[in-house]
Amino acid sequence: MRLVPCVPEHHARLRDLHLEPEVRRWWQDPAEDWPESDGDAVHYTVTLEGEIVGFVEWDERTTRCFSMPAGLFSDPAVDGR
């Protein structure tokens, strides 16, 4: 499993994953322009064996804390791997 910077070529697959019922349960419906609309968050695409299987984001605006808000989702088909 690898984290790679999220680029526009990943967006369609990430939207498809975001719309999976198991992901929407926690993440709700994405905005029409998601993930571009996600403001100051840092975005990474999760890949497994070269395939896009998930998404990670966090907010780096918090400079003086030991933890920061983060979010992650993955393709239900790879859960448990």
Side-chain angles (χ1 to χ4, degrees), residues 5-81:
C6 184
V7 295
E9 293 79 17
H10 300 163
H11 293 180
R13 172 68 175 138
L14 291 171
R15 282 190 62 78
D16 288 345
L17 291 175
H18 195 159
L19 291 169
E20 288 285 335
E22 296 90 339
V23 175
R24 285 180 42 219
R25 175 180 176 207
W26 301 104
W27 281 67
Q28 314 306 313
D29 288 326
E32 286 296 318
D33 58 349
W34 181 89
E36 298 95 351
S37 63
D38 235 359
D40 296 325
V42 176
H43 300 145
Y44 279 87
T45 300
V46 180
T47 64
L48 178 66
E49 299 172 0
E51 299 295 322
I52 294 172
V53 298
F55 176 77
V56 178
E57 70 175 358
W58 62 86
D59 187 341
E60 289 187 328
R61 289 178 292 178
T62 307
T63 58
R64 294 196 60 205
C65 69
F66 296 103
S67 63
M68 63 181 66
L72 163 79
F73 66 74
S74 64
D75 185 342
V78 300
D79 285 355
R81 285 184 67 187

